[in-house]
Amino acid sequence: MELRLYDTLTREKRLFAPLDRNHVRMYVCGPTVYDFAHIGNARPVIVFDVLFRLLRHLYGADHVTYIRNITDVDDKINDRAVRDFPGLPLNEAIRKVTEKTAAQFHADVAALGCRTPSYEPRATDFVLPRADGKADMVTLIKQLIARGHAYEANGEVLFDTQSMPDYGALSGRKLEEQRAGARVAVDAHKKNAADFVLWKQSSAAEPGWESPWGRGRPGWHIECSAMSAAYLGDVFDIHGGGLDLIFPHHENEIAQSRCAHGTKTMANYWMHNGFLEVEGQKMSKSLGNFVTIRDLLDVIPGDVVRLQMLMTHYRRPIDWTERSTSLATSELEEWAESLHSHFNFPNEHKPAEVAEALSDDLNTSAAIAVLRELHVAAKKGGLKEKLVFSSNCKLLGFKSLHKPGLFRFGVSGMNVGDVAIGTYEPLIKKLRAAIANDAPNDVRAAILSKFQKDGLTVQESNNGDLTIVRGNEADANRKIQELVDARLAARNAKNFKESDRIRDELAALGIVLKDGKDANGKLSTTWEVAR
Ligand code: AMP
Ligand code: ZN
């Protein structure tokens, strides 16, 4: 199978060939950890997770190295640390902010079904020269100065954009244009308006590291040049991120890495995901349509976010709407309905069908169309078709398709008397999401305690169906089991009038029975809550 990828630098779709035939190396810019990630941030995480999965499928799980960094040095982090932990020394406060935010990010992206990258380096571990000799920012900056690509001015170290003849190739910006555009804003100490900071001084109230240029901190772009070189070498295969990073971030990464290492390229394929908007508008705090991943995962399963994200080609803009969330939820319910008990069956099928669609520049929307066809076949067909569908769903990273109940709308109750169960719909929705997203126990307990206050509890079936029941779940189960046993005894005694009466009594409680035979050929009955 041939993989083609669109490269932002050469502006063409090209056949993908890794530098090392047997090993693919990919770097994607990760989050700046000062606050909850928003759903726009989830897009590159999901898109490049799908690419990671595809590469693992094509080259073998041990033949792909995927690096996604954590930016834990940034002025926004400092501001947050001062605001949230006023009593603590700055470094401690910063660590609290970054550790808490990184943990939130990890929980969020795990719920979205994303595999952990091979390594997730933190910028602060790569500022100074390291004991293990891996690339670091201070050494890179020294190299840039030694090669005549950087200079010190006004306490800063700046990259000299004019020292690089093809600076601007990625974004297509010419240096002359940038100079004209920035006429007014030119800082007096810069040689050229486009020159950018590699190192800046820190005041006593800012985090800093001792360097040949005094106590200071790195600029943002140099982080990724150092961390990519540290794990992937001077030149590697794929570099990714959102569209907004093309300029200045990736443009400047290329300038730094190529000039420091004296190479013609930094990465062979530059991939950028399109932007996400909410209900047709740019997402922003002032418009009030700023949605965090956590807000969404509180009420919908991660698989829904994933499907909604992948329905659009990764390079096109996405309009995130409530309607598309509902459509994705219903579609997943149908898929899970066809798969449930087969989803986690031992499955030897290699998901070539979705891989083929993805091999055309990670065409995620075509891959979803393939899943829809495979679903039709699975519904009509037998075990084989179900396993084909299931393995292809897994290649795209769906994980909860053994539980259709988690994608349902509405609520059902059993033996709840005149309780208006409709009023519990928002709580049931949260509980479904908490189960699907593997929320911590205290989150589930908090939801369940609201039912308990009303003398109710919630029962979960293997299918992920949730049913509100009166009283204690154990009592309810015991009562049902007693009735089921009594009916079986009546059947064994050929007292069919009594066995029918009990079946009707159970039906009134919302229980359906499945009669069969056990391994010894004896009559046996299982039960489940009717939907
Ligand atoms: P940031 O933390 O802002 O540097 O962003 C982390 C990643 O999310 C980068 O790859 C950004 O390009 C990407 N990103 C930020 N906002 C959006 C958005 N609205 N749509 C898609 N990607 C985004
Ligand atoms: Zn970066």
Side-chain angles (χ1 to χ4, degrees), residues 29-32 38 40-41 43-44 220 241-245 273-276 283:
C29 296
T32 306
H38 59 67
N41 301 136
R43 192 167 188 194
W220 170 31
L243 207 59
D244 58 324
L245 298 186
N273 64 269
F275 246 48
L276 178 146
M283 188 166 45

Side-chain angles (χ1 to χ4, degrees), residues 151-158 189-191:
Y151 60 95
E152 262 190 277
N154 213 15
E156 290 181 343
V157 183
L158 294 148
H189 67 295
K190 287 189 182 177
K191 286 195 196 167

Side-chain angles (χ1 to χ4, degrees), residues 176-377:
E176 299 77 56
E177 285 170 17
Q178 292 180 41
R179 225 173 288 138
R183 238 184 331 241
V184 194
V186 175
D187 295 304
H189 67 295
K190 287 189 182 177
K191 286 195 196 167
N192 318 287
D195 293 356
F196 56 90
V197 170
L198 300 171
W199 190 264
K200 56 190 160 197
Q201 281 183 346
S202 293
S203 70
E206 286 165 335
W209 289 261
E210 292 303 334
S211 80
W213 320 285
R215 183 176 175 276
R217 60 197 192 283
W220 170 31
H221 318 303
I222 196 73
E223 288 179 13
C224 290
S225 286
M227 288 183 275
S228 59
Y231 287 93
L232 304 176
D234 297 352
V235 185
F236 52 94
D237 299 305
I238 301 171
H239 193 315
L243 207 59
D244 58 324
L245 298 186
I246 295 176
F247 189 88
H249 186 53
H250 289 169
E251 194 72 82
N252 294 347
E253 276 189 40
I254 292 176
Q256 298 161 158
S257 294
R258 282 184 46 200
C259 293
H261 304 130
T263 55
K264 282 211 180 89
T265 32
M266 176 183 184
N268 277 340
Y269 299 81
W270 286 85
M271 295 180 66
H272 294 98
N273 64 269
F275 246 48
L276 178 146
E277 299 188 333
V278 174
E279 308 282 350
Q281 283 185 314
K282 188 175 178 303
M283 188 166 45
S284 80
K285 280 196 172 135
S286 56
L287 288 170
N289 60 357
F290 186 90
V291 187
T292 65
I293 303 176
R294 190 60 62 95
D295 291 338
L296 276 189
L297 293 178
D298 278 346
V299 283
I300 55 175
D303 276 358
V304 174
V305 180
R306 190 170 260 270
L307 176 58
Q308 207 175 340
M309 209 65 95
L310 298 180
M311 278 194 218
T312 305
H313 190 286
Y314 81 95
R315 286 199 278 127
R316 299 194 32 202
I318 287 189
D319 187 18
W320 197 268
T321 62
E322 292 223 359
R323 189 177 143 68
S324 57
T325 305
S326 304
L327 290 176
T329 310
S330 304
E331 184 151 26
L332 285 165
E333 182 190 356
E334 285 179 30
W335 292 1
E337 202 61 77
S338 306
L339 281 180
H340 55 98
S341 54
H342 298 105
F343 187 57
N344 290 328
F345 244 50
N347 193 341
E348 298 287 309
H349 181 76
K350 298 267 176 294
E353 295 79 0
V354 155
E356 182 74 45
L358 293 177
S359 70
D360 176 21
D361 187 29
L362 202 70
N363 194 333
T364 51
S365 43
I368 298 297
V370 168
L371 279 190
R372 287 178 180 144
E373 283 167 22
L374 296 178
H375 176 228
V376 172

Side-chain angles (χ1 to χ4, degrees), residues 125-130 133-141 222 226 230:
D125 291 331
F126 290 83
V127 177
L128 299 179
R130 294 166 54 95
K134 280 194 164 73
D136 66 272
M137 299 177 219
V138 164
T139 305
L140 270 185
I141 297 171
I222 196 73

Side-chain angles (χ1 to χ4, degrees), residues 74-82 90 94 206-207 217:
D74 184 280
D75 289 349
K76 289 194 279 286
I77 299 176
N78 309 343
D79 297 346
R80 196 53 70 106
V82 171
L90 183 67
I94 286 178
E206 286 165 335
R217 60 197 192 283

